[in-house]
Amino acid sequence: KSYLSLDTSTADAEAMLPRRSDAHLDMAMRAFPGLRILRQPFGETLLGFLCSATKQIVQIKQMLALLAEHHGSPLPTTCHLIDDKPVRALPTWTQLAELSEEQLRGCQLGFRARYIKGTADFLAAHPGWLEQTATLPYADAKAALCILPGVGEKIADCVALFGLGHLAAFPVDTWMIKTMSRRYGLTGWSPTQVAHFGRVHFGPVAGLAQQYLFAWERAHGKDLSSD
DNA sequence: CTCCAGGTCTGGT
DNA sequence: ACCAGACATGGA
Protein backbone atom coordinates (compact mmCIF):
# COMPACT_ATOMS: atom_id res chain seq x y z
CA LYS A 1 0.00 0.00 0.00
CA SER A 2 1.23 3.44 -0.80
CA TYR A 3 2.60 5.64 1.95
CA LEU A 4 0.86 8.48 0.12
CA SER A 5 -2.44 7.26 1.47
CA LEU A 6 -3.10 8.73 4.89
CA ASP A 7 -5.51 6.11 6.11
CA THR A 8 -5.85 3.03 4.04
CA SER A 9 -7.11 1.21 7.09
CA THR A 10 -10.38 3.13 7.23
CA ALA A 11 -10.82 2.87 3.47
CA ASP A 12 -10.30 -0.87 3.66
CA ALA A 13 -12.72 -1.11 6.55
CA GLU A 14 -15.37 0.88 4.69
CA ALA A 15 -15.05 -1.51 1.78
CA MET A 16 -16.17 -4.28 4.13
CA LEU A 17 -19.45 -2.58 5.00
CA PRO A 18 -22.65 -3.85 3.34
CA ARG A 19 -23.71 -0.56 1.77
CA ARG A 20 -24.86 -2.36 -1.40
CA SER A 21 -27.54 -4.21 0.51
CA ASP A 22 -28.17 -1.63 3.22
CA ALA A 23 -29.72 1.57 1.87
CA HIS A 24 -29.85 3.31 5.23
CA LEU A 25 -26.18 2.70 5.97
CA ASP A 26 -25.31 3.85 2.48
CA MET A 27 -27.20 7.10 3.05
CA ALA A 28 -25.48 7.67 6.39
CA MET A 29 -22.09 7.10 4.79
CA ARG A 30 -22.88 9.60 2.02
CA ALA A 31 -24.07 12.10 4.63
CA PHE A 32 -20.77 11.99 6.54
CA PRO A 33 -17.95 11.58 4.03
CA GLY A 34 -14.61 11.48 5.77
CA LEU A 35 -15.99 10.30 9.09
CA ARG A 36 -13.24 8.58 11.02
CA ILE A 37 -12.91 6.56 14.21
CA LEU A 38 -10.68 8.34 16.67
CA ARG A 39 -7.92 6.32 18.28
CA GLN A 40 -7.63 7.86 21.71
CA PRO A 41 -5.34 6.92 24.61
CA PHE A 42 -6.64 3.77 26.27
CA GLY A 43 -6.69 5.09 29.83
CA GLU A 44 -8.28 8.39 28.89
CA THR A 45 -10.93 6.59 26.87
CA LEU A 46 -11.77 4.41 29.85
CA LEU A 47 -12.13 7.46 32.07
CA GLY A 48 -14.23 9.32 29.54
CA PHE A 49 -16.75 6.54 29.08
CA LEU A 50 -16.94 5.82 32.79
CA CYS A 51 -18.31 9.35 32.97
CA SER A 52 -20.80 8.76 30.18
CA ALA A 53 -23.54 6.73 31.84
CA THR A 54 -26.91 8.50 31.47
CA LYS A 55 -25.31 11.86 30.83
CA GLN A 56 -25.66 14.19 27.88
CA ILE A 57 -22.55 14.55 25.77
CA VAL A 58 -22.11 18.23 26.63
CA GLN A 59 -22.18 17.34 30.30
CA ILE A 60 -19.65 14.55 29.86
CA LYS A 61 -17.30 17.11 28.34
CA GLN A 62 -17.83 19.36 31.35
CA MET A 63 -17.08 16.56 33.81
CA LEU A 64 -13.83 15.76 32.02
CA ALA A 65 -12.90 19.45 31.89
CA LEU A 66 -13.36 19.70 35.65
CA LEU A 67 -11.31 16.56 36.24
CA ALA A 68 -8.48 18.06 34.19
CA GLU A 69 -8.67 21.48 35.82
CA HIS A 70 -8.79 20.14 39.36
CA HIS A 71 -6.57 17.08 39.19
CA GLY A 72 -4.60 17.01 35.93
CA SER A 73 -0.97 17.92 35.38
CA PRO A 74 -0.36 21.18 33.51
CA LEU A 75 0.70 20.78 29.90
CA PRO A 76 3.80 22.66 28.66
CA THR A 77 2.88 26.34 28.62
CA THR A 78 4.50 27.09 25.28
CA CYS A 79 1.38 26.52 23.25
CA HIS A 80 -1.31 25.87 25.86
CA LEU A 81 -2.55 28.98 27.57
CA ILE A 82 -6.20 29.88 28.00
CA ASP A 83 -7.18 32.88 30.09
CA ASP A 84 -3.56 33.08 31.22
CA LYS A 85 -3.83 29.63 32.77
CA PRO A 86 -2.16 26.45 31.54
CA VAL A 87 -4.33 23.77 30.01
CA ARG A 88 -4.18 20.58 32.02
CA ALA A 89 -4.12 16.98 30.92
CA LEU A 90 -6.71 14.53 32.15
CA PRO A 91 -5.58 12.94 35.41
CA THR A 92 -3.86 9.60 34.96
CA TRP A 93 -5.24 6.52 36.68
CA THR A 94 -2.33 6.76 39.10
CA GLN A 95 -3.38 10.29 39.96
CA LEU A 96 -7.03 9.29 40.20
CA ALA A 97 -6.19 6.54 42.69
CA GLU A 98 -4.87 9.22 45.05
CA LEU A 99 -8.22 11.01 45.15
CA SER A 100 -11.09 10.38 47.52
CA GLU A 101 -14.56 9.67 46.25
CA GLU A 102 -15.60 13.03 47.67
CA GLN A 103 -12.93 14.82 45.63
CA LEU A 104 -14.24 13.05 42.55
CA ARG A 105 -17.81 14.05 43.35
CA GLY A 106 -16.51 17.61 43.35
CA CYS A 107 -16.19 17.26 39.58
CA GLN A 108 -19.96 16.71 39.16
CA LEU A 109 -19.48 13.00 38.58
CA GLY A 110 -22.49 12.05 40.66
CA PHE A 111 -22.87 8.32 41.24
CA ARG A 112 -20.14 7.69 38.65
CA ALA A 113 -17.59 8.85 41.23
CA ARG A 114 -17.89 5.50 43.01
CA TYR A 115 -17.23 3.59 39.78
CA ILE A 116 -14.21 5.71 38.93
CA LYS A 117 -12.83 5.33 42.44
CA GLY A 118 -13.39 1.59 42.29
CA THR A 119 -11.67 1.30 38.92
CA ALA A 120 -8.78 3.48 40.07
CA ASP A 121 -8.29 1.28 43.13
CA PHE A 122 -8.41 -1.88 41.00
CA LEU A 123 -5.83 -0.53 38.55
CA ALA A 124 -3.58 0.59 41.42
CA ALA A 125 -3.75 -2.94 42.82
CA HIS A 126 -2.98 -4.50 39.42
CA PRO A 127 0.06 -2.79 37.89
CA GLY A 128 0.33 -3.29 34.14
CA TRP A 129 -3.31 -4.31 33.82
CA LEU A 130 -4.10 -1.66 31.22
CA GLU A 131 -0.99 -2.44 29.19
CA GLN A 132 -1.73 -6.15 29.26
CA THR A 133 -5.38 -5.66 28.32
CA ALA A 134 -4.32 -3.50 25.39
CA THR A 135 -2.52 -6.50 23.87
CA LEU A 136 -5.59 -8.75 23.91
CA PRO A 137 -7.87 -9.50 20.95
CA TYR A 138 -11.28 -7.83 20.96
CA ALA A 139 -13.34 -10.46 22.77
CA ASP A 140 -10.77 -10.92 25.53
CA ALA A 141 -10.19 -7.20 25.96
CA LYS A 142 -13.93 -6.60 26.25
CA ALA A 143 -14.32 -9.37 28.81
CA ALA A 144 -11.43 -7.93 30.82
CA LEU A 145 -12.91 -4.43 30.75
CA CYS A 146 -16.25 -5.73 32.00
CA ILE A 147 -14.52 -6.75 35.23
CA LEU A 148 -14.04 -3.10 36.13
CA PRO A 149 -16.73 -1.48 38.31
CA GLY A 150 -18.98 0.73 36.22
CA VAL A 151 -17.99 -0.94 32.96
CA GLY A 152 -20.70 -2.99 31.27
CA GLU A 153 -21.21 -4.16 27.72
CA LYS A 154 -21.73 -0.74 26.20
CA ILE A 155 -18.86 1.09 27.85
CA ALA A 156 -16.52 -1.86 27.26
CA ASP A 157 -17.37 -1.72 23.57
CA CYS A 158 -16.79 2.04 23.42
CA VAL A 159 -13.39 1.69 25.08
CA ALA A 160 -12.48 -1.24 22.82
CA LEU A 161 -13.53 0.75 19.75
CA PHE A 162 -12.09 4.19 20.49
CA GLY A 163 -9.25 3.30 22.86
CA LEU A 164 -7.99 0.05 21.36
CA GLY A 165 -9.09 0.32 17.73
CA HIS A 166 -11.19 -2.85 17.75
CA LEU A 167 -13.55 -2.18 14.85
CA ALA A 168 -15.58 -5.28 15.67
CA ALA A 169 -16.96 -3.58 18.78
CA PHE A 170 -20.56 -2.43 18.31
CA PRO A 171 -21.61 -0.20 21.23
CA VAL A 172 -25.37 -0.14 21.76
CA ASP A 173 -26.56 3.03 23.46
CA THR A 174 -29.88 4.84 23.48
CA TRP A 175 -29.17 6.21 19.99
CA MET A 176 -28.52 2.75 18.57
CA ILE A 177 -31.74 1.52 20.14
CA LYS A 178 -33.58 4.39 18.40
CA THR A 179 -31.79 3.80 15.09
CA MET A 180 -32.32 0.08 14.95
CA SER A 181 -35.96 0.51 15.88
CA ARG A 182 -36.73 3.34 13.46
CA ARG A 183 -34.58 2.41 10.49
CA TYR A 184 -34.22 -1.35 10.78
CA GLY A 185 -37.57 -2.29 12.29
CA LEU A 186 -36.09 -3.84 15.42
CA THR A 187 -38.81 -2.37 17.60
CA GLY A 188 -38.77 -3.54 21.18
CA TRP A 189 -35.40 -5.30 20.88
CA SER A 190 -33.19 -5.35 23.95
CA PRO A 191 -29.66 -3.88 23.85
CA THR A 192 -28.26 -7.41 23.87
CA GLN A 193 -30.38 -8.38 20.89
CA VAL A 194 -29.50 -5.20 18.99
CA ALA A 195 -25.80 -5.80 19.65
CA HIS A 196 -26.07 -9.31 18.26
CA PHE A 197 -27.87 -8.04 15.17
CA GLY A 198 -25.19 -5.41 14.65
CA ARG A 199 -22.33 -7.88 14.84
CA VAL A 200 -24.01 -10.28 12.43
CA HIS A 201 -25.30 -7.66 9.97
CA PHE A 202 -22.24 -5.38 9.84
CA GLY A 203 -19.51 -7.95 10.44
CA PRO A 204 -15.94 -7.39 11.68
CA VAL A 205 -16.09 -3.62 11.11
CA ALA A 206 -19.45 -3.14 12.85
CA GLY A 207 -18.02 -0.32 14.95
CA LEU A 208 -17.48 1.79 11.85
CA ALA A 209 -21.08 1.25 10.76
CA GLN A 210 -22.17 2.16 14.28
CA GLN A 211 -20.42 5.53 13.99
CA TYR A 212 -22.14 6.40 10.72
CA LEU A 213 -25.54 5.41 12.07
CA PHE A 214 -24.91 7.25 15.33
CA ALA A 215 -23.85 10.41 13.50
CA TRP A 216 -26.84 10.30 11.19
CA GLU A 217 -29.36 9.69 13.94
CA ARG A 218 -27.93 12.49 16.10
CA ALA A 219 -28.11 14.89 13.16
CA HIS A 220 -31.49 13.93 11.70
CA GLY A 221 -33.36 11.98 14.33
CA LYS A 222 -33.54 14.59 17.05
CA ASP A 223 -37.29 14.55 17.40
CA LEU A 224 -39.41 11.94 15.64
CA SER A 225 -41.54 10.64 18.46
CA SER A 226 -41.98 7.58 16.24
CA ASP A 227 -40.11 5.06 18.31
C1' DC B 1 -42.22 20.94 37.55
C1' DT B 2 -41.55 16.57 35.30
C1' DC B 3 -38.63 14.01 32.12
C1' DC B 4 -34.49 12.26 30.28
C1' DA B 5 -29.49 11.82 29.34
C1' DG B 6 -23.69 7.63 24.54
C1' DG B 7 -25.65 2.64 31.68
C1' DT B 8 -24.56 -0.30 35.39
C1' DC B 9 -25.60 -2.66 39.53
C1' DT B 10 -28.62 -4.77 42.67
C1' DG B 11 -32.25 -7.18 44.58
C1' DG B 12 -36.68 -8.87 43.42
C1' DT B 13 -39.55 -12.76 40.40
C1' DA C 1 -32.34 -15.73 33.17
C1' DC C 2 -35.22 -11.63 33.06
C1' DC C 3 -37.19 -7.11 35.00
C1' DA C 4 -37.89 -2.70 37.68
C1' DG C 5 -35.46 0.84 40.76
C1' DA C 6 -31.76 3.27 42.30
C1' DC C 7 -28.13 6.06 41.40
C1' DA C 8 -26.48 12.25 40.93
C1' DT C 9 -26.90 16.11 38.27
C1' DG C 10 -28.38 19.53 35.03
C1' DG C 11 -30.49 20.83 30.65
C1' DA C 12 -34.78 20.52 27.86
PDB file of all heavy atoms in Angstrom, chain A residues 122-146:
ATOM      1  N   PHE A 122      -8.731  -0.601  41.650  1.00  0.00           N
ATOM      2  CA  PHE A 122      -8.407  -1.880  40.998  1.00  0.00           C
ATOM      3  C   PHE A 122      -7.122  -1.764  40.185  1.00  0.00           C
ATOM      4  O   PHE A 122      -6.229  -2.623  40.270  1.00  0.00           O
ATOM      5  CB  PHE A 122      -9.559  -2.313  40.096  1.00  0.00           C
ATOM      6  CG  PHE A 122      -9.280  -3.580  39.332  1.00  0.00           C
ATOM      7  CD1 PHE A 122      -9.662  -4.814  39.840  1.00  0.00           C
ATOM      8  CD2 PHE A 122      -8.645  -3.529  38.098  1.00  0.00           C
ATOM      9  CE1 PHE A 122      -9.389  -5.985  39.140  1.00  0.00           C
ATOM     10  CE2 PHE A 122      -8.365  -4.702  37.394  1.00  0.00           C
ATOM     11  CZ  PHE A 122      -8.741  -5.922  37.912  1.00  0.00           C
ATOM     12  N   LEU A 123      -7.012  -0.695  39.409  1.00  0.00           N
ATOM     13  CA  LEU A 123      -5.832  -0.532  38.555  1.00  0.00           C
ATOM     14  C   LEU A 123      -4.570  -0.314  39.390  1.00  0.00           C
ATOM     15  O   LEU A 123      -3.491  -0.785  39.026  1.00  0.00           O
ATOM     16  CB  LEU A 123      -6.042   0.643  37.591  1.00  0.00           C
ATOM     17  CG  LEU A 123      -7.151   0.434  36.554  1.00  0.00           C
ATOM     18  CD1 LEU A 123      -7.308   1.678  35.687  1.00  0.00           C
ATOM     19  CD2 LEU A 123      -6.858  -0.796  35.696  1.00  0.00           C
ATOM     20  N   ALA A 124      -4.731   0.372  40.533  1.00  0.00           N
ATOM     21  CA  ALA A 124      -3.580   0.587  41.418  1.00  0.00           C
ATOM     22  C   ALA A 124      -3.125  -0.734  42.023  1.00  0.00           C
ATOM     23  O   ALA A 124      -1.931  -0.933  42.283  1.00  0.00           O
ATOM     24  CB  ALA A 124      -3.952   1.579  42.522  1.00  0.00           C
ATOM     25  N   ALA A 125      -4.078  -1.639  42.223  1.00  0.00           N
ATOM     26  CA  ALA A 125      -3.750  -2.940  42.821  1.00  0.00           C
ATOM     27  C   ALA A 125      -3.260  -3.941  41.771  1.00  0.00           C
ATOM     28  O   ALA A 125      -2.799  -5.024  42.120  1.00  0.00           O
ATOM     29  CB  ALA A 125      -4.972  -3.497  43.556  1.00  0.00           C
ATOM     30  N   HIS A 126      -3.397  -3.594  40.504  1.00  0.00           N
ATOM     31  CA  HIS A 126      -2.982  -4.499  39.423  1.00  0.00           C
ATOM     32  C   HIS A 126      -2.098  -3.758  38.425  1.00  0.00           C
ATOM     33  O   HIS A 126      -2.552  -3.434  37.319  1.00  0.00           O
ATOM     34  CB  HIS A 126      -4.204  -5.087  38.710  1.00  0.00           C
ATOM     35  CG  HIS A 126      -5.083  -5.918  39.582  1.00  0.00           C
ATOM     36  ND1 HIS A 126      -6.002  -5.372  40.458  1.00  0.00           N
ATOM     37  CD2 HIS A 126      -5.173  -7.262  39.746  1.00  0.00           C
ATOM     38  CE1 HIS A 126      -6.625  -6.347  41.102  1.00  0.00           C
ATOM     39  NE2 HIS A 126      -6.139  -7.498  40.700  1.00  0.00           N
ATOM     40  N   PRO A 127      -0.849  -3.518  38.787  1.00  0.00           N
ATOM     41  CA  PRO A 127       0.057  -2.785  37.887  1.00  0.00           C
ATOM     42  C   PRO A 127       0.201  -3.494  36.545  1.00  0.00           C
ATOM     43  O   PRO A 127       0.290  -4.718  36.495  1.00  0.00           O
ATOM     44  CB  PRO A 127       1.388  -2.808  38.657  1.00  0.00           C
ATOM     45  CG  PRO A 127       1.004  -3.024  40.085  1.00  0.00           C
ATOM     46  CD  PRO A 127      -0.214  -3.895  40.054  1.00  0.00           C
ATOM     47  N   GLY A 128       0.172  -2.717  35.472  1.00  0.00           N
ATOM     48  CA  GLY A 128       0.331  -3.294  34.142  1.00  0.00           C
ATOM     49  C   GLY A 128      -0.949  -3.859  33.555  1.00  0.00           C
ATOM     50  O   GLY A 128      -0.947  -4.352  32.427  1.00  0.00           O
ATOM     51  N   TRP A 129      -2.040  -3.745  34.295  1.00  0.00           N
ATOM     52  CA  TRP A 129      -3.310  -4.315  33.819  1.00  0.00           C
ATOM     53  C   TRP A 129      -3.767  -3.657  32.519  1.00  0.00           C
ATOM     54  O   TRP A 129      -4.172  -4.326  31.572  1.00  0.00           O
ATOM     55  CB  TRP A 129      -4.376  -4.147  34.899  1.00  0.00           C
ATOM     56  CG  TRP A 129      -5.637  -4.924  34.648  1.00  0.00           C
ATOM     57  CD1 TRP A 129      -5.936  -6.175  35.091  1.00  0.00           C
ATOM     58  CD2 TRP A 129      -6.788  -4.491  33.893  1.00  0.00           C
ATOM     59  NE1 TRP A 129      -7.191  -6.562  34.664  1.00  0.00           N
ATOM     60  CE2 TRP A 129      -7.727  -5.555  33.931  1.00  0.00           C
ATOM     61  CE3 TRP A 129      -7.103  -3.322  33.194  1.00  0.00           C
ATOM     62  CZ2 TRP A 129      -8.966  -5.457  33.290  1.00  0.00           C
ATOM     63  CZ3 TRP A 129      -8.332  -3.251  32.548  1.00  0.00           C
ATOM     64  CH2 TRP A 129      -9.250  -4.309  32.608  1.00  0.00           C
ATOM     65  N   LEU A 130      -3.680  -2.357  32.448  1.00  0.00           N
ATOM     66  CA  LEU A 130      -4.100  -1.659  31.219  1.00  0.00           C
ATOM     67  C   LEU A 130      -3.224  -2.065  30.034  1.00  0.00           C
ATOM     68  O   LEU A 130      -3.735  -2.359  28.948  1.00  0.00           O
ATOM     69  CB  LEU A 130      -4.038  -0.141  31.425  1.00  0.00           C
ATOM     70  CG  LEU A 130      -5.171   0.494  32.223  1.00  0.00           C
ATOM     71  CD1 LEU A 130      -4.893   1.985  32.430  1.00  0.00           C
ATOM     72  CD2 LEU A 130      -6.507   0.307  31.510  1.00  0.00           C
ATOM     73  N   GLU A 131      -1.913  -2.085  30.269  1.00  0.00           N
ATOM     74  CA  GLU A 131      -0.992  -2.436  29.188  1.00  0.00           C
ATOM     75  C   GLU A 131      -1.240  -3.853  28.693  1.00  0.00           C
ATOM     76  O   GLU A 131      -1.218  -4.123  27.489  1.00  0.00           O
ATOM     77  CB  GLU A 131       0.458  -2.288  29.670  1.00  0.00           C
ATOM     78  CG  GLU A 131       0.896  -0.857  29.948  1.00  0.00           C
ATOM     79  CD  GLU A 131       0.344  -0.310  31.264  1.00  0.00           C
ATOM     80  OE1 GLU A 131      -0.316  -1.087  32.016  1.00  0.00           O
ATOM     81  OE2 GLU A 131       0.566   0.877  31.553  1.00  0.00           O
ATOM     82  N   GLN A 132      -1.469  -4.764  29.641  1.00  0.00           N
ATOM     83  CA  GLN A 132      -1.729  -6.151  29.265  1.00  0.00           C
ATOM     84  C   GLN A 132      -3.035  -6.271  28.489  1.00  0.00           C
ATOM     85  O   GLN A 132      -3.114  -6.943  27.459  1.00  0.00           O
ATOM     86  CB  GLN A 132      -1.767  -7.016  30.534  1.00  0.00           C
ATOM     87  CG  GLN A 132      -2.282  -8.427  30.321  1.00  0.00           C
ATOM     88  CD  GLN A 132      -1.428  -9.226  29.354  1.00  0.00           C
ATOM     89  OE1 GLN A 132      -0.250  -8.926  29.171  1.00  0.00           O
ATOM     90  NE2 GLN A 132      -2.036 -10.226  28.714  1.00  0.00           N
ATOM     91  N   THR A 133      -4.069  -5.589  28.978  1.00  0.00           N
ATOM     92  CA  THR A 133      -5.375  -5.664  28.324  1.00  0.00           C
ATOM     93  C   THR A 133      -5.307  -5.112  26.898  1.00  0.00           C
ATOM     94  O   THR A 133      -6.003  -5.589  26.006  1.00  0.00           O
ATOM     95  CB  THR A 133      -6.420  -4.892  29.151  1.00  0.00           C
ATOM     96  OG1 THR A 133      -6.517  -5.490  30.454  1.00  0.00           O
ATOM     97  CG2 THR A 133      -7.788  -4.938  28.490  1.00  0.00           C
ATOM     98  N   ALA A 134      -4.451  -4.117  26.715  1.00  0.00           N
ATOM     99  CA  ALA A 134      -4.318  -3.499  25.393  1.00  0.00           C
ATOM    100  C   ALA A 134      -3.734  -4.457  24.362  1.00  0.00           C
ATOM    101  O   ALA A 134      -3.859  -4.219  23.158  1.00  0.00           O
ATOM    102  CB  ALA A 134      -3.454  -2.244  25.487  1.00  0.00           C
ATOM    103  N   THR A 135      -3.115  -5.536  24.810  1.00  0.00           N
ATOM    104  CA  THR A 135      -2.524  -6.497  23.866  1.00  0.00           C
ATOM    105  C   THR A 135      -3.507  -7.588  23.459  1.00  0.00           C
ATOM    106  O   THR A 135      -3.229  -8.358  22.543  1.00  0.00           O
ATOM    107  CB  THR A 135      -1.300  -7.199  24.481  1.00  0.00           C
ATOM    108  OG1 THR A 135      -1.728  -8.052  25.552  1.00  0.00           O
ATOM    109  CG2 THR A 135      -0.293  -6.174  25.012  1.00  0.00           C
ATOM    110  N   LEU A 136      -4.648  -7.651  24.132  1.00  0.00           N
ATOM    111  CA  LEU A 136      -5.588  -8.753  23.906  1.00  0.00           C
ATOM    112  C   LEU A 136      -6.443  -8.541  22.659  1.00  0.00           C
ATOM    113  O   LEU A 136      -6.694  -7.401  22.264  1.00  0.00           O
ATOM    114  CB  LEU A 136      -6.513  -8.901  25.121  1.00  0.00           C
ATOM    115  CG  LEU A 136      -5.829  -9.179  26.461  1.00  0.00           C
ATOM    116  CD1 LEU A 136      -6.865  -9.195  27.584  1.00  0.00           C
ATOM    117  CD2 LEU A 136      -5.060 -10.490  26.411  1.00  0.00           C
ATOM    118  N   PRO A 137      -6.893  -9.621  22.042  1.00  0.00           N
ATOM    119  CA  PRO A 137      -7.867  -9.502  20.951  1.00  0.00           C
ATOM    120  C   PRO A 137      -9.195  -8.975  21.492  1.00  0.00           C
ATOM    121  O   PRO A 137      -9.429  -8.993  22.706  1.00  0.00           O
ATOM    122  CB  PRO A 137      -8.005 -10.928  20.418  1.00  0.00           C
ATOM    123  CG  PRO A 137      -7.539 -11.802  21.532  1.00  0.00           C
ATOM    124  CD  PRO A 137      -6.509 -11.013  22.275  1.00  0.00           C
ATOM    125  N   TYR A 138     -10.047  -8.533  20.574  1.00  0.00           N
ATOM    126  CA  TYR A 138     -11.283  -7.834  20.960  1.00  0.00           C
ATOM    127  C   TYR A 138     -12.088  -8.530  22.052  1.00  0.00           C
ATOM    128  O   TYR A 138     -12.401  -7.926  23.078  1.00  0.00           O
ATOM    129  CB  TYR A 138     -12.152  -7.610  19.729  1.00  0.00           C
ATOM    130  CG  TYR A 138     -13.579  -7.251  20.059  1.00  0.00           C
ATOM    131  CD1 TYR A 138     -13.864  -6.098  20.791  1.00  0.00           C
ATOM    132  CD2 TYR A 138     -14.637  -8.066  19.667  1.00  0.00           C
ATOM    133  CE1 TYR A 138     -15.178  -5.777  21.119  1.00  0.00           C
ATOM    134  CE2 TYR A 138     -15.945  -7.741  19.980  1.00  0.00           C
ATOM    135  CZ  TYR A 138     -16.208  -6.601  20.709  1.00  0.00           C
ATOM    136  OH  TYR A 138     -17.502  -6.286  21.038  1.00  0.00           O
ATOM    137  N   ALA A 139     -12.442  -9.779  21.833  1.00  0.00           N
ATOM    138  CA  ALA A 139     -13.343 -10.463  22.774  1.00  0.00           C
ATOM    139  C   ALA A 139     -12.730 -10.545  24.166  1.00  0.00           C
ATOM    140  O   ALA A 139     -13.426 -10.342  25.174  1.00  0.00           O
ATOM    141  CB  ALA A 139     -13.677 -11.863  22.261  1.00  0.00           C
ATOM    142  N   ASP A 140     -11.436 -10.809  24.226  1.00  0.00           N
ATOM    143  CA  ASP A 140     -10.768 -10.924  25.527  1.00  0.00           C
ATOM    144  C   ASP A 140     -10.625  -9.567  26.196  1.00  0.00           C
ATOM    145  O   ASP A 140     -10.793  -9.439  27.408  1.00  0.00           O
ATOM    146  CB  ASP A 140      -9.390 -11.570  25.352  1.00  0.00           C
ATOM    147  CG  ASP A 140      -9.491 -13.007  24.869  1.00  0.00           C
ATOM    148  OD1 ASP A 140     -10.494 -13.664  25.180  1.00  0.00           O
ATOM    149  OD2 ASP A 140      -8.572 -13.459  24.161  1.00  0.00           O
ATOM    150  N   ALA A 141     -10.320  -8.552  25.402  1.00  0.00           N
ATOM    151  CA  ALA A 141     -10.193  -7.201  25.955  1.00  0.00           C
ATOM    152  C   ALA A 141     -11.533  -6.732  26.520  1.00  0.00           C
ATOM    153  O   ALA A 141     -11.603  -6.151  27.602  1.00  0.00           O
ATOM    154  CB  ALA A 141      -9.690  -6.234  24.879  1.00  0.00           C
ATOM    155  N   LYS A 142     -12.606  -7.005  25.791  1.00  0.00           N
ATOM    156  CA  LYS A 142     -13.931  -6.601  26.249  1.00  0.00           C
ATOM    157  C   LYS A 142     -14.290  -7.318  27.547  1.00  0.00           C
ATOM    158  O   LYS A 142     -14.779  -6.702  28.503  1.00  0.00           O
ATOM    159  CB  LYS A 142     -14.981  -6.905  25.180  1.00  0.00           C
ATOM    160  CG  LYS A 142     -16.386  -6.551  25.604  1.00  0.00           C
ATOM    161  CD  LYS A 142     -17.400  -6.792  24.496  1.00  0.00           C
ATOM    162  CE  LYS A 142     -18.805  -6.477  24.972  1.00  0.00           C
ATOM    163  NZ  LYS A 142     -19.820  -6.675  23.910  1.00  0.00           N
ATOM    164  N   ALA A 143     -14.023  -8.599  27.600  1.00  0.00           N
ATOM    165  CA  ALA A 143     -14.320  -9.374  28.812  1.00  0.00           C
ATOM    166  C   ALA A 143     -13.524  -8.831  29.992  1.00  0.00           C
ATOM    167  O   ALA A 143     -14.046  -8.716  31.109  1.00  0.00           O
ATOM    168  CB  ALA A 143     -13.994 -10.847  28.582  1.00  0.00           C
ATOM    169  N   ALA A 144     -12.269  -8.477  29.741  1.00  0.00           N
ATOM    170  CA  ALA A 144     -11.433  -7.928  30.815  1.00  0.00           C
ATOM    171  C   ALA A 144     -12.000  -6.599  31.301  1.00  0.00           C
ATOM    172  O   ALA A 144     -12.115  -6.359  32.510  1.00  0.00           O
ATOM    173  CB  ALA A 144     -10.000  -7.752  30.319  1.00  0.00           C
ATOM    174  N   LEU A 145     -12.379  -5.743  30.380  1.00  0.00           N
ATOM    175  CA  LEU A 145     -12.908  -4.429  30.752  1.00  0.00           C
ATOM    176  C   LEU A 145     -14.176  -4.546  31.582  1.00  0.00           C
ATOM    177  O   LEU A 145     -14.415  -3.747  32.497  1.00  0.00           O
ATOM    178  CB  LEU A 145     -13.183  -3.606  29.486  1.00  0.00           C
ATOM    179  CG  LEU A 145     -11.938  -3.037  28.803  1.00  0.00           C
ATOM    180  CD1 LEU A 145     -12.261  -2.551  27.391  1.00  0.00           C
ATOM    181  CD2 LEU A 145     -11.344  -1.910  29.635  1.00  0.00           C
ATOM    182  N   CYS A 146     -14.984  -5.549  31.282  1.00  0.00           N
ATOM    183  CA  CYS A 146     -16.250  -5.726  31.997  1.00  0.00           C
ATOM    184  C   CYS A 146     -16.049  -6.116  33.458  1.00  0.00           C
ATOM    185  O   CYS A 146     -17.003  -6.098  34.242  1.00  0.00           O
ATOM    186  CB  CYS A 146     -17.129  -6.748  31.286  1.00  0.00           C
ATOM    187  SG  CYS A 146     -17.899  -6.117  29.773  1.00  0.00           S
TER     188      CYS A 146
END
